[in-house]
Amino acid sequence: MNTGASAVGSYVRADEDGLNAGGRDVALVGLVGRGIALSRTPFMHEQEGARLGLRYVYRRLDTDTMRAPAPDFAEILSAAEITGFAGLNVTYPYKREALAHLDSLSASADNVGAVNTIVLRDGRRSGHNTDCWGFAESFRRNMADAPREAVMLLGAGGAGGAVAQALIDCGVKRLFVHDIMEGSAEALVARLNDRVGAGTAEVAPDPARVIDAVDGLVNASPVGMAKLPGAPLPLSLLSDRLWVADIIYFPIETELLRAARERGCRTLSGSGMAVFQAARAFELFTGIKPDPERMKASFDAFVA
């Protein structure tokens, strides 16, 4: 086993906990990311697996908690293959880095330019993006009547690319993209305009300059996570004419959402996206359709 596999081994051994006991179908999967100790994804997956009669084990592979120096993504992926994983979910900051280590991409992952789900099967690595559908499904169910002529997207990383496509799929006509790394915003805008039509997306170097032109805004940056507290734009820009969504779900109510609620904005938390993306990933890992409503109940019942 290489150095990376050795470093990750204690987190990912397929034979621990007697996975093959009881004669039930086995699924060993994991989540790769930084600062994911509060993630509800493992609990959702394991609870649904148990209800479906699977021996389903879901590991957190948190590079913030691994012995220094932490292995890089390529080493973690190789270790997961060696130790019998059926697949991995991928979160911040690896959704784009993962692209370079895969054998194939689904249409959704190719369109978005990022992966959050990797299936390991028959010696091949296939990348998928369930974030896009997850956000779109949450938005359709909870914000169906929200105005969406123009929307501001905060964050142009891997998650931002998925949310951008989902917003356009949900009928947004004009999308303003802001990122502290302006080159990332420019790249996403160019990608969107090339795919869906010139003028659909525009870089917003300063949110204050476009806030009056939009109906709502979505935070797809990591700012607001438990490990990255704060808000992705000046909260003084919020007013009750806006709707505000955040894809972060730990904490459920971010500083942005709390301020928006206090100002009378309609809000959408990241819980719906988390549930629906997980449901689709579960099906990719196992070939079995889960029940999203049961997974939501597990999500809501989670205690860290």
Side-chain angles (χ1 to χ4, degrees):
M1 185 178 289
N2 64 25
T3 302
S6 297
V8 184
S10 62
Y11 294 84
V12 301
R13 293 194 192 283
D15 58 357
E16 66 183 12
D17 296 332
L19 291 184
N20 292 312
R24 290 181 290 172
D25 289 333
V26 175
L28 173 65
V29 296
L31 173 65
V32 182
R34 291 181 55 194
I36 55 175
L38 298 179
S39 174
R40 303 184 184 205
T41 297
F43 185 72
M44 274 195 294
H45 276 257
E46 290 187 341
Q47 289 291 298
E48 187 64 10
R51 292 186 184 108
L52 292 169
L54 303 176
R55 182 68 169 110
Y56 196 103
V57 175
Y58 195 111
R59 294 282 187 248
R60 287 182 185 84
L61 309 180
D62 188 343
T63 53
D64 274 358
T65 65
M66 293 180 183
R67 183 169 35 197
D72 61 25
F73 183 82
E75 292 173 316
I76 294 172
L77 183 56
S78 294
E81 284 184 309
I82 291 168
T83 49
F85 272 56
L88 296 172
N89 281 134
V90 182
T91 190
Y92 171 81
Y94 301 112
K95 292 183 179 184
R96 285 185 171 164
E97 181 180 344
L99 294 170
H101 306 287
L102 305 175
D103 297 306
S104 63
L105 289 177
S106 68
S108 63
D110 188 44
N111 284 341
V112 169
V115 301
N116 76 313
T117 302
I118 298 173
V119 176
L120 303 173
R121 187 170 297 145
D122 300 325
R124 292 184 60 80
R125 305 165 172 180
S126 57
H128 305 263
N129 191 295
T130 68
D131 282 338
C132 183
W133 181 80
F135 182 85
E137 189 67 9
S138 177
F139 192 89
R140 283 190 286 259
R141 292 191 183 207
N142 297 285
M143 307 286 276
D145 59 344
R148 65 197 74 174
E149 187 68 25
V151 172
M152 179 160 52
L153 174 66
L154 306 170
V163 172
Q165 184 61 51
L167 287 168
I168 291 168
D169 291 345
C170 288
V172 170
K173 301 295 190 298
R174 193 174 184 197
L175 187 66
F176 295 94
V177 181
H178 172 74
D179 195 288
I180 58 172
M181 298 179 64
E182 195 165 325
S184 295
E186 290 170 349
L188 177 55
V189 164
R191 185 182 185 92
L192 290 169
N193 286 336
D194 183 60
R195 190 166 65 249
V196 300
T200 301
E202 181 179 333
V203 175
D206 180 2
R209 294 175 60 182
V210 300
I211 194 71
D212 291 336
V214 301
D215 302 305
L217 62 91
V218 183
N219 178 39
S221 82
V223 179
M225 291 174 59
K227 70 166 286 160
L228 291 170
L233 84 172
L235 297 175
S236 60
L237 296 178
L238 299 177
S239 69
D240 61 6
R241 67 171 193 82
L242 296 168
W243 55 261
V244 179
D246 204 322
I247 70 167
I248 292 169
Y249 70 86
F250 50 98
I252 292 290
E253 186 173 67
T254 60
E255 185 174 335
L256 173 65
L257 289 187
R258 182 172 63 253
R261 175 176 55 79
E262 290 172 350
R263 285 164 173 77
C265 302
R266 184 176 179 179
T267 62
L268 177 67
S269 78
S271 60
M273 176 179 173
V275 170
F276 291 117
Q277 67 80 20
R280 185 150 287 187
F282 185 101
E283 184 176 357
L284 287 167
F285 292 143
T286 67
I288 301 170
K289 277 186 177 294
D291 183 335
E293 295 305 318
R294 283 197 312 232
M295 294 184 80
K296 182 181 185 304
S298 295
F299 181 96
D300 292 340
F302 176 81
V303 178

